[in-house]
Amino acid sequence: MAYPLSSVVSAALRTLVSHYNNLRLDALYFGQAAADAKALGSGLARYADGVVLTYLATNRLRVAYDALRPPTLMIDGALCQSAADVDLAASSFSGAAATWYVFANRVAGSTTFTLTVNTSSTEAALQRRIGSVYWDGTNLTQSTITTIVGVA
């Protein structure tokens, strides 16, 4: 199949059903038949790039900003991208030794994200698990910082 299937429509022309369907195939399947390709949305549902967790002094974590490869990820169907370093809030870890999971949280009304941690690996609404780290009860064990998306 040639891509794109759709063509330019002038204001004087009526849009035919076939043209609308070709636009839809172009947008969802890059011009392929639905039976031959996954929909773009399902392919991008867990998209991430440039998201790398690093240690920030005093038991904190950071997703560092890089202008050439800004941290970008899909969270609950919305594409989010940071325009600066994204730091985990101070005093986010406490209690007994455990593995903590790091989440990127979509900020409603914004295109960016924040970071939170939890001992549960389950994602909540507007949240995406991006890594983990071991807390020994006093400090983070830097060698256990793991990013599960967007590894550089």
Side-chain angles (χ1 to χ4, degrees):
M1 265 188 208
Y3 179 78
L5 296 175
S6 57
S7 58
V8 176
V9 177
S10 69
L13 295 175
R14 292 178 41 188
T15 302
L16 301 173
V17 169
S18 61
H19 187 77
Y20 170 81
N21 287 334
N22 285 341
L23 284 169
R24 188 172 191 284
L25 287 173
D26 284 348
L28 294 176
Y29 305 103
F30 294 107
Q32 301 299 311
D36 295 334
K38 293 293 283 181
L40 182 61
S42 66
L44 294 178
R46 300 295 287 182
Y47 175 82
D49 185 54
V51 178
V52 180
L53 287 170
T54 58
Y55 182 79
L56 184 60
T58 320
N59 290 326
R60 293 176 61 204
L61 298 171
R62 165 178 281 171
V63 172
Y65 175 76
D66 179 344
L68 298 176
R69 192 175 175 200
T72 306
L73 71 160
M74 190 74 76
I75 303 172
D76 269 2
L79 193 59
C80 300
Q81 185 175 71
S82 71
D85 292 339
V86 181
D87 295 341
L88 181 65
S91 303
S92 293
F93 299 95
S94 64
T99 297
W100 286 71
Y101 299 92
V102 184
F103 296 90
N105 303 278
R106 192 171 105 197
V107 178
S110 172
T111 59
T112 191
F113 60 92
T114 61
L115 298 178
T116 58
V117 291
N118 197 310
T119 54
S120 170
S121 64
T122 304
E123 294 177 358
L126 305 179
Q127 197 173 63
R128 168 99 180 261
R129 184 166 45 102
I130 62 169
S132 63
V133 64
Y134 185 76
W135 166 256
D136 70 9
T138 305
N139 295 298
L140 295 178
T141 306
Q142 292 183 47
S143 64
T144 66
I145 297 171
T146 304
T147 305
I148 60 170
V149 298
V151 176

